[in-house]
Amino acid sequence: MNTEILSGKGLAGLIRQRAGEEARLLDAAGVRPSLAVVVATADESTLWYVRSIERAAERAGIDCRILDLGQDATEQVLARVLTDLGSEPSVHGIILQTPLPEGVRGENLVGLIAPEKDIDGANPLSLGRLAVGQPAFAPATARSVVEILDHFEVPTAGRDVVVVGRSAVVGKPLSLLLLAKDATVTICHSRTGSLEPFTRSADVVVVAAGRTGLLTGSHVSEKTVVVDVGTNVLPDGSLVGDVDEASVTGVAAALTPVPGGVGSVTTALLLLHTVEAARQQSGVLGLSLAAGVA
Ligand code: NAD
């Protein structure tokens, strides 16, 4: 079996291009799309990731403000900053970057992100709206999986899709998006027991557990399309997903790589969500952003 590698790079480029075009149209109408990223950590890899969002935003013509509150920021300070950004008309998108300082309860803060600016779908209201089919920003990672499947013309309607992971930022919203695309969705998690009976018979398996080597060749069949959401940093500093690439390659039909798969599309979608939010908030008419980009 020749396992097709589904790179996210081409799609990410298309989405960035789309975001850039929309940003230019908005700019011409007097609206400069703007994203605020609230950071409270000294973690180097997080800071690197945030700077990569900043660079990508600027290249797309989106203003990006990094509000670095430091690793000692309190919940009260973070709450005030998020509330202030919510009422700041020049800011269209808000991201609260994790990890947060010890003792800060992120679950108390995400609800303070103004829903119309919640471009990474962190506010529970956004998840609730997704659940009942109302317009909302999905977490960019969850949408990224769906965009990749669409881009590579992997059918989901009436197909069996297994999502491994049930977090509020990836597994749950992704399951809702797939359900909306008429997939038959099974959610597996840390208490599932053996994954094999679920994953082997599935058409699509999405792994979002944060466990190196969780999905191996014995978990898949020749029809399985595998999407690897996991990002795990090995002791040598290299980045790997949740899939044991060596054993899955040659068995599964297709696989997204890590890096260069879901992650690259996710960053591009944050930009697209920001221009969508800017357009909605500014009421600029005459632009059309289709829901899908693939
Ligand atoms: P999380 O820790 O909040 O949730 C992990 C989920 O995996 C849980 O629901 C848990 O039940 C499940 N799980 C853990 N061990 C399991 C096992 N042995 N078998 C089956 N299920 C198991 O993590 P998260 O925030 O949902 O992120 C998941 C992964 O996705 C992480 O590696 C994270 O770094 C990565 N991630 C990637 C992107 C991206 O853009 N590429 C974005 C967000 C998260």
Side-chain angles (χ1 to χ4, degrees):
M1 163 65 61
N2 183 21
T3 303
E4 191 187 346
I5 300 300
L6 309 179
S7 168
K9 287 184 180 167
L11 173 59
L14 291 174
I15 296 171
R16 280 196 301 270
Q17 192 184 346
R18 177 73 174 273
E21 282 163 11
E22 297 289 348
R24 270 191 295 284
L25 288 168
L26 280 164
D27 213 3
V31 179
R32 177 90 177 165
S34 163
L35 171 65
V37 187
V38 178
V39 186
T41 180
D43 176 60
E44 264 313 311
S45 61
T46 305
L47 295 173
W48 182 90
Y49 172 66
V50 168
R51 283 193 293 270
S52 75
I53 295 177
E54 184 182 30
R55 282 194 301 275
E58 281 167 1
R59 275 199 296 271
I62 296 168
D63 279 342
C64 185
R65 294 184 210 174
I66 311 265
L67 290 108
D68 189 347
L69 307 180
Q71 58 181 330
D72 299 323
T74 62
E75 199 171 304
Q76 288 76 5
V77 167
L78 282 154
R80 200 182 61 234
V81 168
L82 290 172
T83 308
D84 288 351
L85 288 170
S87 54
E88 170 56 56
S90 66
V91 171
H92 304 109
I94 301 170
I95 296 174
L96 175 62
Q97 185 62 47
T98 54
L100 294 166
E102 226 178 286
V104 169
R105 291 158 299 176
E107 68 275 18
N108 289 352
L109 295 173
V110 284
L112 298 173
I113 301 174
E116 69 277 15
K117 302 185 181 186
D118 184 26
I119 56 113
D120 202 15
N123 189 326
L125 212 63
S126 300
L127 189 60
R129 291 178 72 91
L130 279 185
V132 292
Q134 290 178 4
F137 289 111
T141 304
R143 183 175 172 190
S144 168
V145 173
V146 171
E147 295 294 346
I148 287 174
L149 294 173
D150 280 353
H151 180 73
F152 289 102
E153 296 178 352
V154 177
T156 48
R159 304 301 168 105
D160 291 332
V161 181
V162 169
V163 176
V164 183
R166 59 175 164 181
S167 74
V169 287
V170 189
K172 278 186 190 138
L174 173 61
S175 302
L176 294 171
L177 293 177
L178 290 164
L179 209 52
K181 290 176 69 63
D182 299 321
T184 303
V185 183
T186 303
I187 306 174
C188 296
H189 48 78
S190 53
R191 304 294 292 272
T192 294
S194 175
L195 294 177
E196 248 179 71
F198 300 97
T199 56
R200 268 189 70 81
S201 61
D203 299 292
V204 177
V205 175
V206 185
V207 205
R211 299 282 181 274
T212 311
L214 181 64
L215 199 89
T216 65
S218 67
H219 289 98
V220 296
S221 72
E222 71 287 346
K223 70 168 179 177
T224 325
V225 173
V226 181
V227 181
D228 193 352
V229 179
T231 50
N232 308 294
V233 182
L234 297 182
D236 69 0
S238 58
L239 187 72
V240 295
D242 288 351
V243 174
D244 176 31
E245 252 182 74
S247 68
V248 166
T249 304
V251 182
L255 168 66
T256 63
V258 177
V262 172
S264 40
V265 176
T266 299
T267 311
L269 281 172
L270 290 173
L271 307 181
L272 190 63
H273 284 182
T274 303
V275 293
E276 284 175 353
R279 182 176 58 86
Q280 287 162 13
Q281 286 158 49
S282 63
V284 172
L285 299 175
L287 305 177
S288 67
L289 276 176
V293 290

